[in-house]
Structure formats: C-alpha cells, structure tokens
Amino acid sequence: MKDSYGREVNYLRLSITDRCNLRCKYCMPEGGIEKLEHDAILSLEEIDEIVGEFVELGINKVRLTGGEPLVRNGIISLIEKISRHSGITDLALTTNGIHLKAMAKDLKNAGLTRINVSLDSLNDKKYATMTRGGKLQDVLEGIEMAKKVGLTPIKLNVVLIGGFNDDEVENFVALTKDESIDVRFIELMPIGEVASWSLHNFLSNDYVLKKVPSLRKITASEPASPAAYYQLPGGKGRVGLISPISCKFCDTCNRIRLTSEGQLKYCLHSNEEFDLRTVLRNKGSLREIIEHSISQKPLEHSIEEGNFVSKNMVQVGG
Ligand code: SAM
Ligand code: SF4
C-alpha cells in the first residue's frame, strides 16, 4: 500500500486495550481514564478480521500495544490467530514488562517474535514514582525471562525526562556494552497529560550524545526505523535515538495505527480518526476506508507548531 507521497505503508500498530496496570505520569492521569463500555472495544475476532484485511493490502509487520497489552484477556489466543496470517513476517509487542515473567513463554509459543520493554529508570524508587507504584524488579525479571525464551532482539524504550532520568543516561547506555540489547531514548512528546508539563522536562536527544561522546553513529539495518543508531566502541548492543520533536522522521514513515476502539489513525500526532469498527459491524467495505485513510496520510506532523493531540498515549496506542 503506497500513500499519496509514495511511502510504502506496511506496518500496523495495534492497540488492543486502553487499560493499564501502571499510571505513568506522562501517559495516564492519576485516577486512570474513563472506562469504556465493553461493546466500544473491538473483540478479539474483530481485531483478527481487520488484521486479515490489512495483510491483504500489504501489511507485513504488526505490533501489539496499548494501554498495556498484557492485561487484555485472551491476548495469547489473539497472538495465535494473528500469527496464522502468512503475510506477517514480524509480530512484536510493546509492554511495561510487569507481567512478562509469567507470560513470556506462552507469548513465544503463541507466535510472538520479539518485544520492546518500556523502562524509564534503573532506580527502584524513581521507577515507582514515575509509574505510580510499579516494581522495577518485576520488569527486570520479565526481561530476563524474555531473553531466556527467545523473544529477541529485545529493545528497551526509555523516555528521556529532564529532572527525572537525565542523570541515568550513562547507566542505560552501559547496558549495551556487553549485551546485544538495543536501548532507545525517546523524546517526551507533548501528548495528552504532558502537554501542560514544564519545558524543563523536555530534553532533546542530543543530550545523550553530549553525555556519552564516545558513541559512534552506525547504519541501521532497518531503513524505515524512526531511530538513529549509535554504538559504544566495542559495544555489543546499540543505542537508538528516537527524536520526533527535534528531528522528524516523517519522510520514511511506514506505519498506521488502530485504536482499541477500532479507530484508524494515519498519524500518531493527528486527531483525525477513521471509524473501522462501525464499518465492520455494518458489514461495509474495510478495504475502502483503509485505502481512503492511507490516501489522506499527511506529508509530516506539526506538533512543534502547537497542534497537540488531546488524547493520552494510553488511549491512542503508543
Ligand atoms: N504499556 C506499554 C508500555 O508502556 O510499553 C505500551 C503502551 S505505551 C503508551 C507505549 C510507549 O509510549 C511507552 O514506551 C511509553 O513510554 C511511550 N509514551 C507514552 N506517553 C509518551 C509521551 N508523552 N512521550 C513519549 N513517549 C510516550
Ligand atoms: Fe501504562 Fe505504558 Fe502508559 Fe505507562 S506508558 S501508563 S505502562 S500504557
């Protein structure tokens, strides 16, 4: 599927729930978000039917996200269903890692290829503060289990937050020295909760290069990756910098998103949505609405001009 600017769209990010077992300060309000009616959320069968249509249209890479995907009932059977679509060559998942230790083996057996784990601090007190109650040890044990069962290569996602984890950059980078793990720093995006945060919290990813000047740029093997990759001299892993604010990567964007409510978004930073759930339930043409939405995909986002998305990441699907 090509969009109107000739970009090949082959990557679907699928939010399977807007619920979460954590309350990260930049993503969720303290009291959580309003619960959706059961019927407002796509069923597992509906998700699978929509994925089938996407695969026919050329999607070959699928990532499950949320909310926290591991709290969705039936996730293992959903992965089994999705992995049966022979057009999919990469089926990945992004998680906070809390339930990973218990679920890694079943996820792997169901057909999941690999995982990204979000981890913003290596200090248990700071981790608990930012996630409003998460236990760092659970995540670390989850990562170990994921390695053991072969949900690899593992990528750690670290949102860089001024005054919170800017003093941990060297420690995160050091994880890539002896292990073939990717640590990716992500710039804090002014979405939902964060739109009102102080500018003091926003740090450009250049900060990582200033803190660790020995990092050397390398060529990424994945051409459409939003990350610019670096390596420590002799390092086994990689350090990725994902910089949606200071350095757009829209010209190679290959992705499209589906929310847990069945709304298709052609860009994370747009408020525009296309209602696939209604089309599906009214037995309309999914293909038509998908093709139409892709034809509307903009050349680039404009968050730096103050066009912020009003929903939180947990609702959009990060
Ligand atoms: N619960 C899972 C997790 O935390 O990995 C998946 C969903 S979460 C919304 C996906 C990613 O979005 C996480 O890595 C999280 O850190 C990131 N995220 C959420 N809000 C963000 C923001 N305002 N700016 C940058 N990244 C954000
Ligand atoms: Fe939950 Fe992930 Fe959002 Fe944290 S970032 S509140 S773990 S959805």
Side-chain angles (χ1 to χ4, degrees):
M1 252 184 314
K2 281 213 185 342
D3 72 4
S4 55
Y5 298 97
R7 291 171 297 198
E8 185 69 39
V9 177
N10 67 341
Y11 178 16
L12 172 66
R13 294 182 68 103
L14 200 54
S15 172
I16 60 168
T17 179
D18 63 346
R19 308 240 172 122
C20 187
N21 47 351
L22 295 181
R23 295 279 178 276
C24 301
K25 289 184 176 174
Y26 52 77
C27 179
M28 272 263 212
E30 189 160 12
I33 49 162
E34 214 177 306
K35 276 198 178 150
L36 291 169
E37 296 284 321
H38 179 70
D39 207 37
I41 297 285
L42 293 177
S43 69
L44 303 181
E45 291 70 27
E46 287 175 327
I47 295 175
D48 185 47
E49 189 175 341
I50 293 177
V51 169
E53 194 66 45
F54 272 111
V55 172
E56 281 189 19
L57 284 165
I59 292 288
N60 56 19
K61 191 176 166 188
V62 175
R63 173 172 298 278
L64 305 186
T65 179
E68 172 50 38
L70 299 189
V71 303
R72 172 86 197 237
N73 279 336
I75 181 171
I76 300 296
S77 83
L78 178 65
I79 291 173
E80 277 166 358
K81 285 187 210 311
I82 295 180
S83 65
R84 281 188 211 121
H85 296 283
S86 55
I88 297 177
T89 52
D90 187 19
L91 176 54
L93 178 143
T94 300
T95 174
N96 59 32
I98 297 288
H99 290 328
L100 196 51
K101 184 178 179 191
M103 296 176 72
K105 192 156 181 252
D106 290 344
L107 290 166
K108 177 75 183 174
N109 289 342
L112 193 72
T113 331
R114 60 196 178 88
I115 50 154
N116 288 6
V117 182
S118 303
L119 181 58
D120 300 328
S121 178
L122 296 168
N123 171 296
D124 50 1
K125 288 201 181 68
K126 281 165 72 175
Y127 181 79
T129 303
M130 185 52 76
T131 57
R132 298 194 180 101
K135 287 203 188 95
L136 176 64
Q137 194 56 27
D138 292 343
V139 187
L140 299 178
E141 287 175 11
I143 293 170
E144 283 314 307
M145 187 58 83
K147 280 188 211 158
K148 204 164 148 188
V149 302
L151 283 172
T152 49
I154 293 176
K155 294 182 178 165
L156 287 192
N157 288 342
V158 184
V159 180
L160 191 58
I161 305 170
F164 171 67
N165 59 6
D166 43 345
D167 58 341
E168 294 190 58
V169 166
E170 288 106 322
N171 295 346
F172 274 113
V173 170
L175 299 177
T176 67
K177 179 107 187 116
D178 299 320
E179 278 202 66
S180 63
I181 194 168
D182 284 359
V183 172
R184 310 191 312 167
F185 292 94
I186 305 175
E187 287 176 348
L188 186 63
M189 292 181 270
I191 292 176
E193 287 305 289
V194 192
S196 61
W197 280 25
S198 150
L199 279 179
H200 168 72
N201 300 119
F202 293 88
L203 268 185
S204 147
N205 263 335
D206 287 348
Y207 182 81
V208 175
L209 300 177
K210 277 194 202 118
K211 277 282 192 185
V212 192
S214 57
L215 283 172
R216 291 285 164 264
K217 185 133 197 214
I218 55 170
T219 311
S221 40
E222 317 90 327
S225 169
Y229 277 104
Y230 295 79
Q231 218 159 21
L232 285 170
K236 287 200 177 137
R238 303 184 298 178
V239 174
L241 302 184
I242 303 183
S243 316
I245 310 296
S246 66
C247 176
K248 283 184 188 177
F249 37 77
C250 304
D251 54 343
T252 56
C253 182
N254 62 344
R255 53 188 68 188
I256 187 146
R257 294 166 191 268
L258 187 69
T259 72
S260 54
E261 293 172 87
Q263 305 301 306
L264 189 60
K265 290 180 78 79
Y266 52 53
C267 173
L268 172 62
H269 299 292
S270 164
N271 283 309
E272 189 83 54
E273 294 181 346
F274 297 81
D275 188 357
L276 254 61
R277 183 188 65 200
T278 302
V279 172
L280 177 76
R281 291 183 184 171
N282 290 340
K283 311 250 179 286
S285 167
L286 283 175
R287 176 172 294 236
E288 238 169 64
I289 185 168
I290 293 171
E291 285 179 338
H292 174 63
S293 79
I294 293 202
S295 75
Q296 303 293 301
K297 199 169 155 64
L299 184 58
E300 54 183 33
H301 67 66
S302 53
I303 33 179
E304 64 287 358
E305 287 154 28
N307 297 325
F308 298 153
V309 172
S310 44
K311 284 183 173 174
N312 287 306
M313 278 288 249
V314 72
Q315 294 160 306
V316 178

